[in-house]
Amino acid sequence: MNFFKKLEDLPRFYKSAILLLNDAMLIPFSLYLSCYLITGSLSLSNNIHWLVYCSLPIVTSIIFLKFGMYRAIVRYLGLKTLWTIGGAATLASLWLLVSINLFNAEVLPWRVYVIFWLLSILSLGGSRFIARQIFNSLAMVRLNSDRQCNIKRVAIYGAGVTGVRLGRYISSASEFIHTLYFDDDKKLFGREIDGVEVASSKGLKELCSKHKIEEVFMAIPNADVEKKKKVIEQLLECGVRVKTVPGLAGIVSGEIRVEELREISVDDILGRDAVLPRKELLSGCIQGKTVLVTGAGGSIGSELCRQIVMLGPKKLILFELSEFALYKIESELKSVMVEQYSIDIEIIALLGSVQQRKRLLQVMKAYNVQTVYHAAAYKHVPIVEHNPIEGVRNNIFGTLNTVVAANEADVETFVLVSTDKAVRPKNIMGATKRFAELILQGISQSDAKTKFCMVRFGNVLNSSGSVVPLFSKQIENKEPVTVTHPEVTRYFMTIPEASQLVLQAGYIAKGGDVCVLDMGEPVKIIDLAKKMIALSGYKEKTDSSDGDIEIKIVGLRPGEKLYEELLIGDNVTGTEHPLIMRAEESCIPWGELQEIISKLNQCCHETDVKGVRDILLSVVSGYEPQCDIQDKVWLETNVRRKKNKKVIPFDASAER
């Protein structure tokens, strides 16, 4: 043990010299042995000229030097080494033929050359791989015995090409001990890959416990959604942390390496197939046109912009209130266009608020805007509940200003980004979004020049205010995971998927209609929290069992519903896209709605929160507030008259 430790600690020059000496001895010995194996005596070996024996190792060493064999680290030798050794042995055999003719009087049988070639590969390659195995074993022993090192025992699910490549990377990393492969292929069970056993995936829980595995890396990038979901469900019971390799597309394109492991995402947990877009529907309102996106720096707005630039617009106008958000999305788009897509589209970044109608009109007329995607809105349910006047000004009057400006500027298509919370709302945010829909429906019944439509979808994963980042942060900090109610259920979709729906809706819609997505099965938020805890390698802490992280029920927030819906009525028809539906819903005549808007504006001007609430109750069908008025300023002003003040904190995140 001490000898090998001293050998490992030698300077690189001495290690290379030892390898050179090893080759200088093994090559002549291979020739000597091959002659003996052919004749069964030493006569043929002894008759070979000494210059032949001396020249062979010189030629082989020169070849190895050329290919960098003496610079390679023995512990990390791979298949490329065998190819180099094979090439060197072939050239050495050719030189043997030449040198025999030059220095030797006696001609050797052709079988000597074949056996010499085989023995050269075996001796040169075998000596190196034996040394590699010895040093790797010593390293493993040291890692196991060193209690101060934070070494993790890991297994890989998937013994295919990707899994083997990942396994070899792990073997070279000092922070991991590769313990096991899991696979579904019965032909691989019980076999070894680079000294690591391949086990059946059916005994995951028992094997993880037996081998004290702390992390499992999923290396099945080409598996379908259902397969990945099934594997994740199996791993949930093992009490290990789970990571996965990137998607196959990223690996094939070379943008991502197999070794760049990532945490299991909510997309993986939900196991939901993304709704694939149709290109002709995506580009119908964009290609060759001037497009404006309000709220361009938000979660949905920024993703809309990313996808719009790939569809070839003439110009893209970013309209955003936040200076930093505007700077961020403008910089990203310009960088992406140059580095990834090599396209040149005019990007115009403009500061502005949708509450300024004149500013909107000037922008649309100045650039002859043809398509508007209206994503600017306040979406955080509890915050809007505590600030209803500002929510109304931004979500209702902001939409009104953008709609009127678009109509006056002869915009061709206007798409409103709406939400499932607009259906029979329980909160101010949902009520304001339904009122915004009514504005589009109302103006569509007038002599509007613009085609107005709405897109309604469920919760967007990883958007600002989403529950997913909140859970991730709480789990990372080992804090209690806060769920508002054990029965809260939501539909989910990804940000790119939601954005693609918005883009396709502009082309599909006829005007005044609502486009909604068939979002599959809803998900219980508490089940999502449990899975995120388990896949992070922690155990749920309950009253009956010890664990790491507790799930804490904190109660419904102001305006929160247990269940969300996507449709108000039953008048639903299909569209050109199999998973996108068109809904025709009841609306208020434009003239009547304008009078209501005038009264609503007066209430906002006078900060009449109760008046605003009463108007919303009378106009928005199905609006049933889940709580009393929560406006903090209004309550503080009337605190002497309202001793029973009840304000629910909004420290928990919204579901969007």
Side-chain angles (χ1 to χ4, degrees):
M1 180 74 75
N2 290 334
F3 170 76
F4 288 110
K5 179 68 174 63
K6 290 178 180 178
L7 190 61
E8 190 178 26
D9 294 337
L10 283 174
R12 171 57 45 196
F13 173 78
Y14 290 107
K15 291 179 181 177
S16 299
I18 291 171
L19 282 175
L20 186 62
L21 181 62
N22 173 76
D23 298 342
M25 294 171 60
L26 289 176
I27 285 292
F29 177 74
S30 297
L31 175 58
Y32 197 85
L33 183 60
S34 60
C35 291
Y36 176 79
L37 291 174
I38 291 297
T39 62
S41 67
L42 299 176
S43 58
L44 183 60
S45 304
N46 293 333
N47 288 334
I48 295 176
H49 200 281
W50 65 271
L51 284 173
V52 175
Y53 285 115
C54 293
S55 62
L56 276 174
I58 295 173
V59 171
T60 308
S61 300
I62 292 172
I63 296 168
F64 277 9
L65 283 168
K66 180 70 176 175
F67 286 100
M69 284 291 289
Y70 297 120
R71 295 194 306 272
I73 301 174
V74 171
R75 191 185 301 168
Y76 304 135
L77 294 178
L79 291 176
K80 185 180 177 182
T81 305
L82 285 177
W83 285 105
T84 305
I85 291 171
T90 303
L91 292 174
S93 300
L94 292 174
W95 172 251
L96 175 61
L97 180 63
V98 172
S99 62
I100 287 294
N101 291 324
L102 285 175
F103 307 119
N104 214 64
E106 187 176 350
V107 178
L108 298 178
W110 65 268
R111 288 177 296 172
V112 171
Y113 297 102
V114 175
I115 295 176
F116 169 71
W117 181 77
L118 292 172
L119 287 176
S120 298
I121 294 175
L122 182 63
S123 59
L124 296 175
S127 61
R128 280 168 168 79
F129 281 94
I130 288 171
R132 188 191 76 163
Q133 194 63 34
I134 290 171
F135 287 125
N136 284 342
S137 299
L138 289 173
M140 193 71 71
V141 170
R142 285 201 304 274
L143 290 175
N144 285 329
S145 62
D146 190 355
R147 297 181 180 180
Q148 302 302 316
C149 292
N150 186 22
I151 307 302
K152 295 179 180 177
R153 300 177 66 85
V154 302
I156 295 176
Y157 193 108
V161 175
T162 305
V164 172
R165 181 175 167 184
L166 178 61
R168 285 174 179 160
Y169 168 76
I170 290 172
S171 298
S172 66
S174 59
E175 65 267 29
F176 298 118
I177 299 175
H178 185 193
T179 308
L180 210 60
Y181 280 106
F182 292 114
D183 205 276
D184 300 328
D185 190 350
K186 294 180 180 179
K187 297 176 183 177
L188 297 176
F189 296 168
R191 297 194 177 186
E192 290 188 356
I193 299 175
D194 294 333
V196 179
E197 183 186 351
V198 181
S200 170
S201 57
K202 292 182 179 179
L204 272 174
K205 188 175 181 180
E206 294 77 13
L207 287 169
C208 284
S209 176
K210 177 183 176 182
H211 292 275
K212 299 179 181 179
I213 292 169
E214 299 172 76
E215 293 190 13
V216 174
F217 300 153
M218 286 174 54
I220 47 174
N222 57 339
D224 57 29
V225 172
E226 283 302 317
K227 169 65 176 175
K228 288 182 180 178
K229 185 179 179 181
K230 185 178 178 181
V231 172
I232 290 171
E233 291 292 338
Q234 287 179 278
L235 293 171
L236 281 170
E237 302 176 3
C238 299
V240 295
R241 186 167 189 156
V242 182
K243 293 182 180 178
T244 183
V245 299
L248 189 61
I251 296 172
V252 172
S253 66
E255 296 176 7
I256 305 172
R257 296 181 301 165
V258 169
E259 297 84 5
E260 293 178 8
L261 294 162
R262 64 170 176 83
E263 300 290 341
I264 292 291
S265 68
V266 180
D267 298 8
D268 300 315
I269 296 173
L270 297 178
R272 178 176 175 271
D273 286 307
V275 180
L276 297 176
R278 289 172 53 181
K279 190 171 182 180
E280 68 274 16
L281 302 181
L282 279 174
S283 58
C285 297
I286 295 170
Q287 195 168 27
K289 297 180 184 292
T290 300
V291 182
L292 181 145
V293 178
T294 68
S299 303
I300 298 297
S302 60
E303 182 61 29
L304 282 172
C305 294
R306 292 183 193 101
Q307 298 200 26
I308 287 170
V309 294
M310 293 188 288
L311 296 170
K314 182 180 178 182
K315 296 177 183 177
L316 175 59
I317 302 169
L318 316 175
F319 195 81
E320 174 60 54
L321 178 62
S322 167
E323 179 188 25
F324 176 71
L326 182 65
Y327 163 76
K328 189 176 178 182
I329 186 61
E330 181 193 21
S331 301
E332 178 189 335
L333 291 177
K334 288 184 176 179
S335 174
V336 165
M337 285 194 304
V338 173
E339 295 177 7
Q340 294 186 24
Y341 303 113
S342 300
I343 53 178
D344 186 18
I345 295 168
E346 187 177 358
I347 303 289
I348 301 155
L350 299 175
L351 280 170
S353 168
V354 291
Q355 296 183 39
Q356 299 171 339
R357 185 182 301 181
K358 188 175 180 180
R359 169 71 166 165
L360 286 164
L361 184 59
Q362 286 176 337
V363 170
M364 292 181 194
K365 283 187 173 181
Y367 293 101
N368 294 318
V369 173
Q370 294 162 282
T371 304
V372 173
Y373 294 100
H374 181 49
Y378 291 150
K379 303 184 183 77
H380 197 290
V381 171
I383 290 181
V384 175
E385 203 68 30
H386 287 297
N387 301 272
I389 300 294
E390 295 307 311
V392 167
R393 287 192 183 281
N394 201 64
N395 293 359
I396 295 178
F397 288 101
T399 300
L400 176 66
N401 292 334
T402 314
V403 163
V404 172
N407 197 41
E408 288 185 28
D410 295 331
V411 169
E412 295 173 5
T413 307
F414 184 106
V415 183
L416 168 68
V417 177
S418 190
T419 170
D420 56 358
K421 292 175 176 60
V423 179
R424 286 177 275 276
K426 297 286 187 182
N427 50 65
I428 294 289
M429 193 280 279
T432 59
K433 293 298 285 184
R434 177 56 189 151
F435 202 114
E437 292 180 356
L438 289 171
I439 291 173
L440 269 74
Q441 290 175 307
I443 199 170
S444 295
Q445 293 180 339
S446 65
D447 297 328
K449 304 171 187 176
T450 304
K451 180 177 74 172
F452 293 97
C453 61
M454 298 141 277
V455 187
R456 193 185 289 157
F457 47 77
N459 298 280
V460 180
L461 294 171
N462 296 321
S463 63
S464 58
S466 168
V467 72
V468 174
L470 173 67
F471 285 175
S472 297
K473 184 178 179 181
Q474 290 172 334
I475 292 169
E476 184 180 350
N477 296 332
K478 291 190 176 181
E479 299 172 352
V481 174
T482 54
V483 176
T484 58
H485 193 283
E487 296 300 322
V488 168
T489 304
R490 295 289 181 265
Y491 292 98
F492 283 98
M493 68 191 313
T494 64
I495 293 178
E497 190 178 8
S499 301
Q500 289 166 1
L501 172 62
V502 173
L503 298 179
Q504 292 173 97
Y507 187 82
I508 290 174
K510 296 178 179 178
D513 47 355
V514 180
C515 288
V516 296
L517 176 69
D518 181 356
M519 298 188 66
E521 295 298 320
V523 178
K524 272 191 174 184
I525 300 299
I526 194 166
D527 290 342
L528 179 62
K530 288 179 178 180
K531 289 180 179 180
M532 289 181 70
I533 291 171
L535 292 172
S536 297
Y538 299 116
K539 293 182 179 179
E540 182 190 351
K541 184 179 181 181
T542 63
D543 294 336
S544 58
S545 64
D546 292 332
D548 306 298
I549 297 175
E550 174 191 5
I551 294 179
K552 188 177 181 182
I553 305 299
V554 296
L556 290 173
R557 298 156 305 156
E560 184 176 12
K561 295 168 69 175
L562 287 179
Y563 310 98
E564 298 289 2
E565 305 166 89
L566 287 167
L567 296 169
I568 294 175
D570 299 323
N571 189 8
V572 182
T573 57
T575 66
E576 294 90 326
H577 196 294
L579 294 180
I580 299 177
M581 301 171 287
R582 179 186 290 111
E584 302 285 347
E585 297 179 345
S586 60
C587 60
I588 300 172
W590 183 236
E592 183 182 338
L593 189 62
Q594 284 179 304
E595 292 180 9
I596 296 171
I597 290 171
S598 179
K599 294 178 183 177
L600 185 63
N601 184 45
Q602 185 66 28
C603 288
C604 287
H605 183 72
E606 295 174 357
T607 321
D608 183 0
V609 180
K610 187 177 183 304
V612 167
R613 183 186 176 100
D614 290 342
I615 291 174
L616 292 177
L617 282 166
S618 65
V619 173
V620 178
S621 175
Y623 176 36
E624 296 180 0
Q626 182 252 7
C627 56
D628 293 333
I629 293 174
Q630 299 293 307
D631 187 298
K632 291 188 174 183
V633 177
W634 188 84
L635 288 170
E636 189 67 28
T637 304
N638 298 279
V639 68
R640 292 180 181 177
R641 289 182 292 127
K642 290 187 175 288
K643 295 180 180 179
N644 248 339
K645 181 178 69 169
K646 181 183 178 184
V647 179
I648 305 176
F650 55 90
D651 54 350
S653 172
E655 301 301 333
R656 287 195 42 146

